Structures are given as C-alpha cells and as structure tokens.
C-alpha cells in the first residue's frame, strides 16, 4: 500500500485526492494546503485524511512514500525538490516547472535518489490518446504529414501563465507521445488583448526532422469550447474531438497519391482515395485512475513513468521556445536536441 501526501487542494487537487482514495494499492495519508478553508473541505469530505498546513511534518513522516504537487506552477520546483530530498516519490502537475533549468534539476535529483518522478500530463492516459498512439505505432497511418489542433474556449484567464503554458502544453505532451520525436524548431505568434495579463491567444507551429509539421491554435477568448485534433498520414487520417461524448476518435481511410504521368510529362496525376471511416472503441476509464495505477506500479516495480521527468522537461523547453518566438513576432527558434530513450 503506497501512502501519498497531496499538496494543494484548489481546483485540480480534489481530483487527485478522489482518484488516489479510490485506487487499490494506494491511500491518501495527508493533504497540505496553505488555505485553512480548503483544509476544512478536506476534513468534511474525508475525515480519515490528515489535513494540515505543516508541509515539513508530512515530508518528515516516514510512513508517507510519495508526494503529489498540485499547487500553482511557480511553486512546483521548490515543493518537488523538497519532496525528492525527503526521499519521496513525486507526482507533479503540468507544466512541470517554470523553467527548463528547474526541470532538469528535478530530473537529476530523482535520478540520483532513484525516486519515481511522474509529471501529470493527463491526456496521455486517456483512452482517446492511447488509441491514437496504438494506431500510429501500428503503422496504419503511414508517414505522419501533419498534426493540427484547435483548443479554444472562453476563460479561464490565468494570472501567472500564458495560454501556451495552460493549453498548448497538452498538445506538446500529446505530440511527444504520439510522434516519439523532438521538434527541431518552433514558431509562434500570439497576443494579450488585456494589458498587464499573460498572452490569451497563440498560434504555434512545430517543425520535425521527419517532415511532420504540427500546429496548435489555443485561446481563452473563443465563444465556444473546441477541442479538435486532426492527424494526417500518408495512408489514413484521424480526427479526435474531445468534446464529442462518444466516438471521439474517427479513422478515415482517405489520402492522396501523386504519380507522374509518362504520357503527359508536364502534368502530375493526383489520386484521391476515399475509403471507409471507423470509430474505434475506446477505454472509458478515467485518465487519472489509469495514471494513478501507473504511478503506483512504477513505485512498486522501479519503472519509468510514461510521462516521466524527461518528458516534462521536453515540454517545458518547448513552452520556453514557443514563448520566446511569440515575443519576437514568430521568429523561428531552434531547439536543443536530446537523446530519447527507446
Ligand atoms: N493535469 C491537468 O489536466 C490539470 C488541470 C488543471 C490544473 N492542473 C495543474 O494543477 C496545478 C494547480 O492548479 P489549480 O488550478 O488547482 O490551482 P488553484 O490555484 O486552484 O489551487 C492551488 C492550491 O494550492 C494551494 N497552495 C498554493 N501554494 C501552496 C504551498 N506552497 N503549499 C501548500 N498549498 C499551496 C492554494 O491555497 C490552492 O488551494 C497547476 O500546476 C495546474 O497547471 C493540471
């Protein structure tokens, strides 16, 4: 039985507490928050869980194996490092840290202490993204030409992070997982319509060595909520509509082929293929349940999480690069290349 202490009981923390409470093989031993009103809520809902403002006491408790950090991003590094230094395994919310320097330090600390470090990029554990990854890895889509995402809605305006950190972060982690390849360059444009606030709208393009191109349109200023991804391959194409209650994923047997016509040397022959569409059955388990089970399994069997600190670091580097490009009106920013584990 893995005992977990959860720091932060704001918007997202309650989802972690509920999921870890329901998980076989795990128990929530403590919830830490600086806001005592939040702790009162914990006591009312979960009388058996220790609710406290005293983080040091929780970190010093040898009965607690792991810490989940669900506080605003500016505190992730400090809290994550303190938990690792206390010998705990760490679950940290996305984005992992404010800077890549901080993210790298957490990765090194976790390596040095042989602790599990999981970054909560929840989408990776959804039935929809797992199915897309399975289809892409089977080779069914062929060569991936493009990834095109629209992730827009009205609000929630954040005070401390831009829409890139809040929304595009999901596309960055999904792309990392689906393509298994690091982008070589990024170009982004975006703006804040309200002076003194972070950018609330951005258009980001990622370029890959394999020729794949990816684009994300993210905004807190749209009248409707749209969560749509298209993935176009040389053999098939996928649409993913996360707002759709069922049939979120559709696979289209459609494509284009170009052949030179030897009879008419100045013309290319374009062939359009339109075959069947199918909507694969998806695992409907809550992503946080799947992810929680995976975290416990990684701790018990010394495994590396699918969304480990290295993935978290790559995503933070992309956020930095996209932000830097956006602040220079879309200038291309080249990314440092890392070795990826097989
Ligand atoms: N994985 C996801 O899909 C997902 C979704 C939403 C939010 N998040 C992430 O979860 C994190 C928290 O976001 P939120 O929307 O819940 O924020 P929030 O502001 O609603 O809640 C944060 C809570 O942490 C507490 N807190 C702040 N600093 C603290 C400290 N030093 N020690 C103890 N408690 C502290 C606050 O009092 C508050 O109750 C962010 O990193 C966010 O990006 C992830």
């Amino acid at each position: 039985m893995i005992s977990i202490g959860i720091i932060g009981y704001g918007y997202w923390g309650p989802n972690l507490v509920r999921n870890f409470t329901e998980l076989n093989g795990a128990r929530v031993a403590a919830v830490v928050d600086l806001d005592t009103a939040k702790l009162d809520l914990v006591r009312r809902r979960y009388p058996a869980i220790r609710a406290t403002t005293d983080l040091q006491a929780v970190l010093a408790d040898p009965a607690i194996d792991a810490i989940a950090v669900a506080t605003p991003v500016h505190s992730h590094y400090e809290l994550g490092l303190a938990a690792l230094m206390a010998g705990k395994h760490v679950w940290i919310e996305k984005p992992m840290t404010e800077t890549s320097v901080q993210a790298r330090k957490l990765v090194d600390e976790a390596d040095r202490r042989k602790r599990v470090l999981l970054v909560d990029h929840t989408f990776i554990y959804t039935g929809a993204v797992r199915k897309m990854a399975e289809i892409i890895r089977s080779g069914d889509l062929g060569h991936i030409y493009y990834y095109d995402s629209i992730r827009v809605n009205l609000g929630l305006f954040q005070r401390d992070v831009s829409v890139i950190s809040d929304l595009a972060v999901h596309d960055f982690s999904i792309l990392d997982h689906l393509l298994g390849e690091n982008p070589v360059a990024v170009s982004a444009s975006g703006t804040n319509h309200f002076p003194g606030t972070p950018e609330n709208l951005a258009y980001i393009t990622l370029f890959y060595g394999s020729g794949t191109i990816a684009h994300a349109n993210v905004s807190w200023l749209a009248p409707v909520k749209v969560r749509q991804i298209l993935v176009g391959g040389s053999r098939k194409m996928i649409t993913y509509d996360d707002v759709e209650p069922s049939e979120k994923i559709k696979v289209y047997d459609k494509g284009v082929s170009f052949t030179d016509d030897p009879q008419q040397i100045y013309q290319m022959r374009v062939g359009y293929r339109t075959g069947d569409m199918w909507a694969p059955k998806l695992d409907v388990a809550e992503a946080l349940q799947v992810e929680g089970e995976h975290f416990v399994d990684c701790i018990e069997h010394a495994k590396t999480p699918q969304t480990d600190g290295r993935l978290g670091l790559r995503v933070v580097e992309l956020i930095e690069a996209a932000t830097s490009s956006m602040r220079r009106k879309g200038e291309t920013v080249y990314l440092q290349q890392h070795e990826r584990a097989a």
Side-chain angles (χ1 to χ4, degrees):
M1 184 64 85
I2 301 293
S3 280
I4 299 180
I6 293 173
I7 315 177
Y9 197 77
Y11 164 67
W12 196 246
N15 292 325
L16 300 187
V17 176
R18 177 174 54 78
N19 272 282
F20 279 116
T21 303
E22 289 169 4
L23 205 71
N24 280 331
R27 62 181 274 271
V28 179
V31 172
V32 181
D33 203 299
L34 298 177
D35 181 346
T36 53
K38 299 282 168 52
L39 297 177
D40 287 341
L41 278 178
V42 176
R43 288 188 194 105
R44 235 173 291 143
R45 281 184 202 154
Y46 306 98
I49 295 179
R50 181 161 123 218
T52 175
T53 53
D54 190 351
L55 173 64
Q56 292 316 318
V58 170
L59 293 182
D61 184 345
I64 292 181
D65 307 290
I67 293 289
V69 179
T71 57
V73 62
H74 63 80
S75 53
H76 286 186
Y77 172 66
E78 189 195 329
L79 295 173
L81 187 65
L84 287 169
M85 289 178 74
K88 311 297 184 194
H89 301 284
V90 171
W91 166 302
I92 198 159
E93 275 310 316
K94 64 83 195 164
M96 184 177 174
T97 48
E98 280 184 303
T99 70
S100 54
V101 171
Q102 294 172 337
R104 204 167 289 114
K105 283 188 183 159
L106 291 187
V107 168
D108 290 345
E109 195 62 33
D111 281 355
R112 192 162 32 242
R113 293 177 183 270
K114 297 194 167 32
R115 298 291 90 176
V116 171
L117 175 58
L118 178 146
V119 184
D120 180 14
H121 286 293
T122 320
F123 267 99
I124 306 308
Y125 300 92
T126 58
V129 173
R130 284 187 287 137
K131 180 57 77 179
M132 282 167 82
E134 182 190 313
I135 295 170
I136 289 174
R137 285 185 198 137
S138 74
D140 244 19
L141 249 60
H143 173 65
I144 305 301
Y145 290 143
Y146 68 86
Y147 169 106
D148 196 357
S149 166
I150 307 180
R151 199 176 292 280
V152 302
N153 48 263
L154 196 62
L156 301 165
F157 275 74
Q158 309 280 312
R159 271 166 295 155
D160 55 344
V161 297
S162 79
V163 72
I164 292 183
S165 280
D166 184 47
L167 293 182
V169 63
H170 295 306
D171 292 297
F172 295 167
S173 62
I174 293 171
L175 275 161
D176 189 286
H177 185 67
L178 292 184
L179 302 182
E181 185 185 359
N182 303 334
V184 290
V186 56
S187 163
S189 29
T191 192
N192 62 341
H193 294 96
F194 311 96
T197 63
E199 290 85 353
N200 53 271
L201 177 150
Y203 307 111
I204 306 138
T205 308
L206 307 177
F207 303 90
Y208 292 82
S210 60
T212 302
I213 187 165
H215 186 263
N217 163 355
V218 289
S219 165
W220 295 322
L221 202 56
V224 289
K225 179 168 177 172
V226 183
R227 295 284 186 273
Q228 274 178 356
I229 296 173
L230 302 179
V231 184
S234 53
R235 290 163 61 179
K236 287 186 184 159
M237 302 188 187
I238 294 182
T239 61
Y240 167 20
D241 186 347
D242 199 42
V243 176
E244 175 82 18
S246 60
E247 302 195 343
K248 287 180 189 290
I249 297 280
K250 291 179 180 146
V251 185
Y252 290 85
D253 185 8
K254 290 190 180 188
V256 180
S257 58
F258 287 87
T259 46
D260 290 332
D261 180 353
Q263 307 299 317
Q264 296 166 290
I265 55 167
Y266 298 113
Q267 284 185 10
M268 263 202 302
R269 197 180 274 170
V270 188
Y272 296 100
R273 195 183 65 260
T274 59
D276 291 341
M277 181 281 284
W278 63 289
K281 190 167 165 2
L282 303 181
D283 182 354
V284 292
E286 189 178 349
L288 277 180
Q289 272 295 306
V290 176
E291 187 173 359
E293 274 169 23
H294 179 56
F295 184 54
V296 169
D297 183 43
C298 289
I299 293 173
E300 282 177 343
H301 302 102
K303 291 184 186 165
T304 304
Q306 285 189 29
T307 54
D308 65 350
R310 285 179 171 76
L311 180 141
L313 165 63
R314 292 194 293 272
V315 169
V316 173
E317 284 177 337
L318 254 182
I319 293 172
E320 283 179 337
T323 305
S324 154
S325 171
M326 176 170 68
R327 300 209 170 134
R328 287 184 276 147
K329 298 261 180 289
E331 201 176 287
T332 304
V333 172
Y334 290 87
L335 290 141
Q336 213 188 327
Q337 292 303 298
H338 297 285
E339 289 272 318
R340 295 178 68 106

